[in-house]
């Protein structure tokens, strides 16, 4: 509708102009280079209009001709971009499929066609790693570090190469560079923290840990556990130097960071006992026993009363067990103390629920065999319980967790340490199950 109205307006103006010119006739004479042209004003205006239209058409043709090279160049560039992206996609698929030869061939094609060489260079670097050409992979990853957009990918590749050849200094340096570029980069923060821990740079490791928590790399629980682990190491160092007050202070900080972290609780109890505060040491262990009993806690607790008469030790064991009376560790604790005091009936009574359960607690079966041998030497019963223990794998019962376990690789160890000797993960050892390193109160 709008176009029709516009057309009618233009027609009206043209008609009005024609009428106006007809009412005002005139003549025009043009003399130029010996030529003379006599015409009317309307004809002159018409000729000028035709000339202007012709000039405009000629100008547009000229502009179009001038644009031809650019159009050809754009067409060629788009074609190259399409081919380059297709080659890059094929290279990525080949890399994921584990075919470094095809990945390298396609990536080289993409690198020649695309203006941004970074993605293709990254695929070439990973393909070189996949084929075992570490020297080529290192060269390509160094090129990536110079590319601002691909710098982190380049640093990660170089870090992996340094880890593979065991170059701890290079790993620390590369991780520090990556963190400097992006403090929120998960793998970079963790790699730097691990490198600082392996170098025993505990204060630097704590700073990195705090920075990682602020950046969202570590959860609150993970940060607290790792902080407690670092403080446990500080505690051990101070205790080895004979600095009992400082060791106690550090152990308290470790427990404050992770109140249920068993290594921290055990160290605090040991430090309090070393300072002569046996009541404080027992209170620490009793509180942890209320939350989650452990064999290590039982051993530490009974060590506090080792100078007492056996019957008094049994009473101490019963008092601790009352804080979590139905737990398997509580039953084993009292049974062990009663066995030491030749209180066979009491020991049997405490073990009975564990022996009646399915599967049987292996430790309870072994203890029962020892009790039967000591109390009358019933060889049949001794053999029966030894057979039960032999047929029950350690850890088959939920109550039968008596080893430290790595939450990263699930390997089991006899003693706690800050680093898993199997996989090298820092702060991953927990009691029984590495996945339950810190138990909620």
């Amino acid at each position: 509708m709008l176009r029709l109205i516009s057309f009618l307006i233009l027609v009206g103006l043209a008609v009005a102009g024609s009428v106006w010119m007809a009412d005002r006739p005139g003549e025009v004479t043009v003399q130029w280079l010996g030529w003379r042209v006599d015409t009317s004003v309307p004809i002159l205006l018409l000729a000028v209009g035709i000339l202007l239209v012709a000039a405009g058409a000629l100008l547009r043709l000229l502009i179009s001709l001038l644009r031809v090279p650019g159009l050809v160049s754009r067409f060629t560039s788009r074609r190259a971009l399409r081919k380059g992206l297709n080659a890059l996609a094929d290279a990525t698929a080949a890399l994921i499929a584990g075919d470094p030869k095809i990945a390298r061939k396609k990536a080289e094609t993409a690198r020649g066609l695309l203006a941004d060489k970074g993605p293709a260079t990254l695929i070439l670097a990973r393909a070189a790693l996949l084929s075992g050409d570490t020297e080529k992979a290192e060269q390509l990853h160094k090129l990536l570090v110079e590319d601002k957009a691909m710098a982190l990918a380049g640093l990660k590749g170089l870090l992996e190469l340094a880890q593979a050849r065991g170059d701890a200094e290079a790993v620390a340096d590369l991780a520090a560079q990556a963190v400097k570029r992006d403090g929120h980069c998960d793998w970079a923060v963790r790699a730097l923290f691990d490198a600082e821990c392996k170098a025993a740079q505990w204060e630097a490791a704590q700073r990195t840990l705090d920075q990682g928590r602020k950046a969202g790399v570590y959860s609150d629980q993970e940060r607290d556990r790792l902080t407690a682990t670092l403080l446990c190491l500080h505690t051990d160092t101070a205790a080895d130097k004979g600095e009992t007050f400082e060791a106690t202070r550090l152990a308290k900080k470790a427990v404050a960071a992770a109140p249920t972290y068993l290594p921290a609780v055990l160290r605090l109890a040991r430090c309090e006992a070393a300072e002569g505060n046996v009541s404080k040491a027992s209170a620490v262990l009793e509180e942890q026993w209320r939350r989650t009993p452990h064999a290590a806690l039982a051993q530490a607790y009974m060590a506090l009363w080792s100078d007492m008469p056996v019957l008094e030790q049994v009473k101490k064991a019963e008092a601790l067990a009352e804080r979590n009376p139905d737990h398997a560790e509580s039953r084993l604790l009292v049974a062990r103390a009663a066995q030491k005091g030749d209180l066979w009936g009491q020991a049997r009574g405490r073990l009975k629920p564990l022996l009646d359960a399915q599967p049987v607690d292996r430790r309870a079966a072994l203890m029962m065999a020892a009790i039967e041998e000591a109390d009358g030497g019933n060889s049949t019963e001794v053999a029966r319980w030894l057979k039960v223990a032999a047929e029950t794998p350690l850890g088959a019962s939920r109550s039968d967790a008596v080893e430290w376990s790595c939450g990263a690789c699930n390997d089991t160890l006899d003693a706690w340490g800050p680093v898993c000797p199997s996989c090298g993960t820092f702060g991953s050892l927990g009691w029984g199950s590495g996945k339950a390193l810190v138990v909620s109160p």
Side-chain angles (χ1 to χ4, degrees):
M1 187 67 181
L2 185 60
R3 289 184 178 181
L4 178 61
I5 294 173
S6 301
F7 175 73
L8 292 175
I9 291 173
L10 289 174
V11 170
L13 290 174
V15 171
S18 299
V19 172
W20 187 82
M21 292 297 298
D23 292 339
R24 294 167 179 79
E27 295 182 352
V28 178
T29 300
V30 179
Q31 292 183 345
W32 187 57
L33 297 176
W35 293 82
R36 178 187 173 96
V37 177
D38 294 316
T39 185
S40 64
V41 172
I43 297 299
L44 177 63
L45 291 175
L46 179 61
V48 171
I50 292 172
L51 287 173
L52 288 174
V53 171
L58 184 62
L59 181 62
R60 291 185 65 184
L61 178 61
L62 180 61
I63 292 173
S64 297
L65 291 173
L66 292 174
R67 291 177 61 192
V68 168
L71 292 172
V72 172
S73 176
R74 257 200 309 272
F75 173 77
T76 305
S77 297
R78 288 178 180 176
R79 186 180 180 189
L81 177 63
R82 186 171 61 254
K83 284 187 174 181
L85 291 176
N86 287 337
L88 192 64
D90 291 341
T92 304
L95 187 66
I96 294 173
D99 190 340
K101 184 177 179 180
I102 297 298
R104 183 167 54 250
K105 180 181 177 181
K106 293 292 185 179
E108 287 173 349
T109 301
R111 199 164 184 262
L113 292 171
L114 298 173
D116 185 2
K117 311 294 183 186
T121 303
L122 177 59
I123 292 177
L124 284 171
R126 305 310 290 186
L129 272 178
L130 192 61
S131 60
D133 190 351
T134 55
E135 185 176 349
K136 183 67 174 177
E138 186 167 4
Q139 292 174 357
L140 290 168
H141 279 106
K142 285 180 179 178
L143 286 177
L144 289 171
V145 174
E146 297 173 3
D147 184 338
K148 185 177 180 180
M150 306 298 293
L152 279 176
L155 286 170
K156 186 175 183 181
L158 291 173
L159 186 142
E160 290 172 352
L161 287 168
Q163 288 175 330
R165 63 175 182 266
D167 190 344
E169 186 176 348
V171 169
D173 179 60
L174 291 164
Q177 289 184 50
V179 171
K180 187 175 181 181
R181 286 180 178 272
D182 184 2
H184 294 76
C185 183
D186 187 286
W187 64 263
V189 173
R190 290 180 181 276
L192 180 58
F193 175 77
D194 289 342
E196 289 167 341
C197 288
K198 288 177 182 177
Q201 298 172 350
W202 310 125
E203 292 182 2
Q206 186 63 62
R207 287 194 298 270
T208 300
L209 182 60
D210 292 338
Q211 178 184 344
R213 175 63 194 94
K214 291 177 183 177
V217 174
Y218 296 103
S219 65
D220 288 339
Q221 185 179 16
E222 189 176 13
R223 188 273 311 272
D224 292 344
R225 173 172 54 80
L226 293 174
T227 296
T229 303
L230 289 171
L231 288 167
C232 284
L233 295 174
H234 283 299
T235 300
D236 291 345
T237 301
D240 291 342
K241 293 179 180 179
E243 300 171 353
T244 55
F245 178 81
E246 178 65 9
T248 303
R249 186 185 70 82
L250 291 168
K252 286 180 179 178
K253 288 184 66 176
V255 172
T260 60
Y261 188 43
L262 185 57
V265 172
L266 291 173
R267 276 161 177 75
L268 178 56
R270 186 177 63 201
C271 289
E272 293 286 13
E275 286 196 281
N277 301 322
V278 176
S279 59
K280 289 184 178 180
S282 63
V284 169
L285 296 171
E286 288 164 1
E287 178 61 22
Q288 180 67 8
W289 194 272
R290 182 187 63 78
R291 295 188 182 108
T292 308
H294 293 284
L297 289 172
Q299 184 179 359
Y301 188 80
M302 295 310 296
L304 297 175
W305 323 111
S306 59
D307 293 336
M308 284 186 172
V310 174
L311 292 181
E312 292 298 321
Q313 291 184 35
V314 174
K315 290 180 180 179
K316 290 291 184 181
E318 289 176 334
L320 181 62
E322 282 303 310
R323 296 182 177 274
N324 208 322
D326 295 326
H327 197 281
E329 292 296 338
S330 293
R331 295 184 179 280
L332 288 167
L333 168 66
V334 177
R336 193 175 292 112
Q339 179 188 9
K340 186 178 178 181
D342 297 338
L343 303 175
W344 312 122
Q346 185 175 359
R348 285 189 176 92
R350 290 286 182 166
L351 292 177
K352 189 176 186 304
L354 301 181
L355 298 172
D356 292 341
Q358 290 297 326
V360 174
D361 188 300
R362 182 172 179 270
R363 293 172 297 165
L366 289 172
M367 193 180 299
M368 193 63 185
I371 290 171
E372 292 293 349
E373 184 176 10
D375 184 22
N378 188 333
S379 58
T380 302
E381 285 298 302
V382 171
R384 181 169 77 89
W385 288 116
L386 287 176
K387 182 181 178 182
V388 170
E391 293 175 349
T392 306
L394 184 63
S397 169
R398 291 185 61 184
S399 66
D400 198 14
V402 295
E403 292 178 309
W404 296 93
S405 174
C406 176
C409 67
N410 292 323
D411 194 16
T412 56
L413 300 101
D414 294 332
W416 180 88
V419 178
C420 173
S422 298
C423 65
T425 304
F426 181 84
S428 62
L429 296 186
W431 183 263
S433 170
K435 295 180 181 178
L437 298 176
V438 180
V439 183
S440 299

